[in-house]
Amino acid sequence: MNDTPNTTRRGFLKAGLATGGALAAGGGGAAANPDPLITEVQPWATGLGAGVDATPYGLPIEYEADVIRRNVPWLTADVISSINFTPIHALDGTITPQGCAFERHHSGAIDMRKEDYRLMINGLVDTPLVFTYADLERFPRVNHTYFLECAANTGMEWAGAQLNGAQFTHGMIHNMEYTGVPLRTLLEEAGIQPSARWIYVEGADASSNGRSIPLEKALDDVLVAFRANGEALRMEHGYPVRLCVPGWEGNMWVKWLRRVEVMDRPVESREETSKYTDTLADGTSRKWTWVMDAKSIITSPSPQSPIVHGHGPLVIAGLAWSGRGAIERVDVSLDGGRNWQSARLAAPPQPMALTRFYLEIEWDGSEMLLQSRAIDSTGYVQPTKAQLREVRGLNSIYHNNCIQTWWIKPDGEAENVEVS
Amino acid sequence: MSKFRNLLVCTALASLAAAPALAEKLGLGRPALPEEIAAWDVDVSPDGAGLPPGSGSVADGEVLFSENCAVCHGEFAEGVDNWPKLAGGDGTLAREDPLKTVGSYWPYLSTVWDYVHRTMPFGGAQTLSDDEVYAIVAYILYSNYLVDDEFVLSQENFLEVEMPNAGGFIVDDRDGVEVPRFSQPPCMNDCKDSVGITMRAAVLDVTPDETAAGETASEAVQVAVAETTVPAAASAPDPALVAQGEKVFRECAACHRIGEGATHRVGPILTGVYMRAAAQAEGFRYSPAMTEAGEGGLLWDQTTLDAYLERPADVVPRGRMSFRGLSEPGDREAVIAYLRSFSE
C-alpha cells in the first residue's frame, strides 16, 4: 500500500495526466493587490466569539447547511416507507457522522426509550431469555468500524445513467464505529441447541423487518450495537439497539432489535422473498444474496462537487469497500477505462469498512471520463456495468456494484454518464 | 455454505484480536415467560409452522380488503399510484420491468400470511384477527386467479395452495458464477480502442432540485412564524408557507388525501377540515374518542390543530391516528397553512 502522498511536483506529474498543459487558472499566480482579509483587522479578530454552551450539542456551522441527507420523492409512495441518501460528495475521511447518515424505514422511525427496550432470545435455546437495555451494557463490549450499504444502492442505475450526483447514485451507505456486544455472547448466554442452523431477527417497529441469518454468520461477527461513533444510536438508525451484520446487505441490520429466534430453518420472510432477491434475465431469481460485492465511487469531483478552481493541482477523492474483506487496491481511470493508475489509500484498509482513496493530478482543463475500480483482499475486481449485465440482465435492482463514470467537462462541471 | 468460509478466514484474525475472552455465562437477563414468547414469536414458516388455527373466505376477505387495504392497494389488489401492487404480473418475470406481486413472484403463501398479520394495514399493524388475516389472504389469492370465489383458506388446507413462482428461486450463486469471472488481474493500459458516452443523466433529468432544500424553506417558515403575532385566522395563508406545508404533508400522505378527488384512506379526507368540528368527514369511521371530541365541541382551529399535530394523543386520548406528531413548530405552522388552503 502506498500511503505517502505525492506532495512533490514530480509526484503530481508522475501520478497525473501527462500534462504539458496550461497552469493555474486558480492559484499560484502573483496577487495584484494586498488581500484585505489579511491587511485589515477582521471582526472575528477584534471582537469575541460565542461562549461555551452556545449550542450544548454542537451542530455544523451554517455554511455547511447543504451537507444533508436528501431523498428522491418519486422513488416511493410516501416518506414513511422510504429512503434518503448520505451526502457522500461533501464528506471526507471514512466515518459518516450520524446526523447525515442515510435512513431507510419500512414503517417509519420509531421513538422508544431505553427503559422500554426489551430483547428476547428464544427458539432452539436451553433457556429463552429477556434482556433489558441495562442488561446489555453489562456484557463485555467490542468496538468495530463497519460500512452499512443498502442492497439497493445504485439500483436506479441498472437500466442506465439516471441520477446526477454521487449522493443519489451511491449514498445509501454509511460507515460508523459501533460499540456493542457480540451476538454470540448473548446466544451462548441462552445456550444454543445442537439442531440450530439459523437465526431469525426482527425489530420492534410495525414492519418488524424480519430476516433469517445462518447461525455460522451469527456466531462469527454479528454485533448487537448500542452506540455509533461514540454516541447513542440516532432514532432513525434504531435507537436504542440495532444489529450489525458486517459486510452483508443493510436490510439485515435490523433496527430496534427486539427478538432473536434460534431456528433450524429460514423463515422466508417478506424481506427475503418479495424483496432483496435478484431477478436474472431468464426470470429466475437469486435469493440469500447477502454479501455486498467490492465497490468504489469517486466522491469528488462529481456532479454535486464540480471542479471550481480551474486548471492545476486537483485532488480526486473517493471511497471503496467490500463485504468480502478489506480493500487491497483502487485504480482510477481518467479516460473512461482505457488506462488505469493506482490511487493512494489514505489509511490501512479495514475489513468490511470504508477505505478512502485519493489521486492527486495536474488537471489541464481537458475533458475526463473519471472511473474508479476497487480490488479486494480476495482478488475480486469491481466489474463494469456491461460485465454485470452480461451475467444478471437488467432487472436485478439490488447489488449493483458496477464501475461508475463521471464526465468532467472543460468548465469543471461533472455529469453521470455511461460509456462504451 | 462455502460462501462465507472465505470471509471467516479473512476476519478470524481481526476478531481474535478484538473479542473479549468469555468463559462462563454471566447470568444476565431473565427467563422469558411463555406468554411473552407467545406474544412476540408469531413468525410463520413455509411448512406452516407457526400458523394459528382459523379460517377465512374469499367473500369475507373481499369486504375486509375493501375496508382496510384498498385505499392503497386498490379494490382488486392492483395497486393505487406508487403503492405496491399485490396482484397481476403473471408471466412478466423474464421481461423488461417485471411486475412482481404475490401472484407472480412470492414463492411461499406463509410469507403473505405472516406479513399481513404483522405489518398491514400500514399505520394499523397487528389490528387484524387471525380469521381476518386468513380471509384477506384468501382474497389476495383470488385477485391473482389462484383460487375460485368459493374458496375458504384455513390452517388445514394452507399447504395445498400452489404458488406459481415457488420454483423460481436459486440460492445465491455469485461465488460460482461471478467471483471467478471478476477475479482476473485487471488490465491497466490500452484496455479498449475507443470510449464514447452512450447515456447521460442530464438528458433524463430526474435528479431532485438541490435549491429546493428543506432547511432554507424551514428558515422561511421560522421567519413567517415569528412575524405572525396573532395566529392568522383572518388573513389568507402565505403562499410560501402553503408550499412548505405541501412538503410537510408528505408525512401525512400515507394516511390522508386532500383536495379534488381525494378519498378516505387510513385517515379521513382532510379537505375543509380547518375551522370545522372534529370528526365531520362523511363516510369515515372515526374512533369513538374522536366522535366524542367532535360532539363535545372540539373545533379544528390554529391552536387545536397545532396541539393535535404535535401530540395527537394529548388532544384526543384513545384516538386512532397512530402518528408520532410533528415536533417542529415550523412544520406544524406550515402544514396547517396547507390544510387551510383547502378550506377557503
Side-chain angles (χ1 to χ4, degrees), chain A residues 135-188:
Chain A
D135 291 335
L136 293 183
E137 284 198 324
R138 298 173 67 192
F139 284 99
R141 268 171 243 167
V142 294
N143 287 231
H144 285 292
T145 301
Y146 295 125
F147 75 81
L148 177 161
E149 184 184 16
C150 175
N153 200 19
T154 323
M156 286 85 73
E157 305 291 307
W158 265 115
Q162 288 222 30
L163 289 163
N164 216 10
Q167 177 169 23
F168 301 111
T169 57
H170 289 76
M172 295 182 194
I173 191 163
H174 57 61
N175 191 63
M176 304 192 199
E177 184 202 45
Y178 294 96
T179 301
V181 178
L183 178 59
R184 180 186 196 116
T185 308
L186 302 180
L187 291 173
E188 285 174 349

Side-chain angles (χ1 to χ4, degrees), chain A residues 189 259 261 277 381 395 418, chain B residues 27 43 95 105 182 188 198:
Chain A
E189 189 74 17
R259 195 171 72 93
E261 182 176 355
T277 46
V381 183
N395 287 332
E418 256 179 41
Chain B
D43 52 77
R95 283 198 224 143
Y105 195 63
F182 300 153
M188 296 300 285
T198 54

Side-chain angles (χ1 to χ4, degrees), chain A residues 31-79:
Chain A
N33 296 303
D35 184 349
L37 281 166
I38 298 172
T39 55
E40 287 168 20
V41 176
Q42 298 298 318
W44 54 79
T46 174
L48 303 173
V52 296
D53 281 350
T55 357
Y57 189 97
L59 290 169
I61 196 163
E62 59 188 296
Y63 316 118
E64 299 296 315
D66 58 337
V67 185
I68 50 170
R69 302 182 277 228
R70 291 178 198 279
N71 82 354
V72 177
W74 55 263
L75 274 181
T76 49
D78 74 315
V79 292

Side-chain angles (χ1 to χ4, degrees), chain B residues 19-309:
Chain B
L22 240 204
E24 310 262 288
K25 293 187 183 189
L26 294 182
L28 292 169
R30 60 159 177 88
L33 301 178
E35 301 90 316
E36 293 171 334
I37 297 175
W40 275 7
D41 184 353
V42 295
D43 52 77
V44 181
S45 298
D47 64 0
L51 270 180
S55 67
S57 66
V58 169
D60 288 346
E62 181 168 11
V63 177
L64 289 162
F65 195 89
S66 175
E67 279 176 6
N68 294 287
C69 324
V71 287
C72 298
H73 296 298
E75 288 296 336
F76 308 101
E78 78 283 15
V80 173
D81 306 335
N82 230 353
W83 304 98
K85 299 170 174 53
L86 309 181
D90 183 26
T92 64
L93 296 181
R95 283 198 224 143
E96 206 176 302
D97 281 332
L99 173 54
K100 299 177 180 181
T101 71
V102 170
S104 69
Y105 195 63
W106 292 37
Y108 306 107
L109 189 59
S110 56
T111 313
V112 191
W113 204 98
D114 179 80
Y115 185 73
V116 171
H117 177 236
R118 66 168 73 219
T119 306
M120 289 291 138
F122 197 61
Q126 305 189 63
T127 54
L128 298 169
S129 72
D130 292 347
D131 285 340
E132 287 174 333
V133 177
Y134 277 106
I136 288 172
V137 173
Y139 179 71
I140 297 174
L141 289 171
Y142 172 74
S143 304
N144 280 287
Y145 306 108
L146 298 175
V147 298
D148 62 35
D149 57 357
E150 304 280 286
F151 182 72
V152 178
L153 180 69
S154 67
Q155 188 190 19
E156 289 76 32
N157 68 3
F158 200 85
L159 296 181
E160 290 162 23
V161 178
E162 281 180 29
M163 299 296 277
N165 197 37
F169 291 81
I170 55 169
V171 171
D172 185 4
D173 61 354
R174 282 177 295 170
D175 274 3
V177 174
E178 294 184 6
V179 170
R181 204 186 252 248
F182 300 153
S183 298
Q184 309 299 322
C187 168
M188 296 300 285
N189 291 302
D190 297 324
C191 304
K192 41 190 174 183
D193 295 336
S194 66
V195 175
I197 293 173
T198 54
M199 185 170 181
R200 298 177 48 185
V203 174
L204 205 62
D205 195 21
V206 289
T207 311
D209 186 1
E210 302 238 334
T211 52
E215 80 292 334
T216 31
S218 70
E219 259 166 38
V221 174
Q222 300 296 350
V223 173
V225 172
E227 284 171 357
T228 315
T229 35
V230 183
S235 60
D238 167 6
L241 200 58
V242 172
Q244 170 61 11
E246 186 175 358
K247 286 206 195 96
V248 177
F249 195 76
R250 298 218 311 262
E251 298 211 26
C252 326
C255 304
H256 291 291
R257 288 296 140 106
I258 192 162
E260 209 175 310
T263 51
H264 295 312
R265 306 241 149 173
V266 171
I269 299 171
L270 292 180
T271 315
V273 77
Y274 185 79
M275 291 310 273
R276 191 174 71 192
Q280 302 302 310
E282 205 148 313
F284 184 81
R285 277 195 300 167
Y286 289 93
S287 63
M290 183 67 85
T291 309
E292 228 168 81
E295 286 162 4
L298 174 60
L299 178 77
W300 292 129
D301 61 14
Q302 195 77 26
T303 315
T304 52
L305 277 173
D306 185 71
Y308 184 59
L309 295 179

